[in-house]
Amino acid sequence: DAGDYAGTAAATSQTACAVGTYQPDANQSSCIEADPGHFVPVNASTSQTECPAGTYQPGQALDACIDADPGHYVPDNASDDQIACHPGAYQPVSRQSSCILAEPGNFSPSFGLVNAQPCTAGTYQEMSGQSLCNLSSPGHFVEFTGSSSEFPCPIGTYQKNSGATFCNEAEPGNYASMNGSTNQTGCSVGSFQPMSGQSSCIDAEVGFYVDTDSSPNQLSCSEGSS
């Protein structure tokens, strides 16, 4: 019968095809091994079965398929191998037919990862499916891990470097008048600023003067002058 064979001359009985093999035709002297990407789970089978997506089978004459490992996937039926998730994607679960794109604020730097990694402080990633994070640009900062955006330095602060986790306060005698400043600006002659972290300078008052740039103080007019 189909699913059986008679392997010798003068046989008195037929033999069932073993697990991992099959025979679709009658009057046969042997069975057929399951192809790669297929399996035969029972004796006396007349057909092989495709491994479903998420599983694979690299060998022959086997009775089951292998689940794709975490960090891997199998997109099609009848596959003979699993595929590592590409950079920018990951897969924490076995027996999957696809990978997961790294979410914004995260990245996946190499093949076969089971988890995405959060962007470190000083970096960010606004897009999904990325293999690296971006350094914060000058005038900006990223204080925490897992950020999907950078943040401009607030008024009164500045940052001249990329990849920063904080902004610097404008020093006394200086100011930063805009969000996202990359440098502080010195107070001009005739003005001063005694405090740090300020957005403007103060004009010298009547009876006082400032004769240098970036001065933290005003000077009083000497006796006999005004």
Side-chain angles (χ1 to χ4, degrees):
D1 298 325
D4 297 86
Y5 70 104
T8 60
T12 59
S13 63
Q14 61 184 353
T15 303
C17 290
V19 168
T21 69
Y22 69 104
Q23 181 49 259
D25 301 318
N27 302 326
Q28 299 301 306
S29 61
S30 63
C31 298
I32 304 168
E33 292 185 343
D35 297 322
H38 297 74
F39 71 109
V40 180
V42 295
N43 293 324
S45 180
T46 59
S47 63
Q48 61 181 347
T49 303
E50 291 183 343
C51 292
T55 70
Y56 68 102
Q57 182 51 260
Q60 293 179 316
L62 296 171
D63 62 348
C65 298
I66 303 169
D67 289 347
D69 297 324
H72 297 73
Y73 71 109
V74 179
D76 302 311
N77 293 336
S79 293
D80 62 3
D81 202 1
Q82 61 182 348
I83 303 170
C85 293
H86 57 78
Y90 69 100
Q91 181 50 259
V93 183
S94 61
R95 197 184 173 90
Q96 298 302 301
S97 60
S98 63
C99 296
I100 303 167
L101 294 178
E103 296 86 354
N106 296 267
F107 71 111
S108 180
S110 58
F111 286 94
L113 291 182
V114 298
N115 287 297
Q117 302 175 26
C119 294
T120 58
T123 70
Y124 70 100
Q125 181 50 258
E126 59 192 353
M127 300 176 65
S128 60
Q130 301 302 302
S131 60
L132 50 80
C133 297
N134 306 308
L135 292 174
S136 62
S137 53
H140 297 74
F141 73 107
V142 179
E143 184 176 5
F144 302 110
T145 61
S147 181
S148 60
S149 61
E150 61 180 348
F151 301 92
C153 292
I155 290 173
T157 68
Y158 70 99
Q159 179 54 257
K160 61 182 178 181
N161 298 316
S162 58
T165 60
F166 63 91
C167 296
N168 304 300
E169 287 191 341
E171 299 163 354
N174 297 269
Y175 69 102
S177 61
M178 299 183 298
N179 288 321
S181 292
T182 58
N183 285 290
Q184 61 183 350
T185 303
C187 294
S188 59
V189 169
S191 66
F192 70 103
Q193 180 49 259
M195 299 177 65
S196 61
Q198 301 303 301
S199 60
S200 62
C201 296
I202 304 167
D203 288 341
E205 299 167 351
V206 174
F208 294 83
Y209 70 102
V210 179
D211 59 357
T212 60
D213 291 325
S214 302
S215 178
N217 298 297
Q218 60 182 348
L219 303 172
S220 59
C221 292
S222 60
E223 185 175 355
S225 64
S226 62

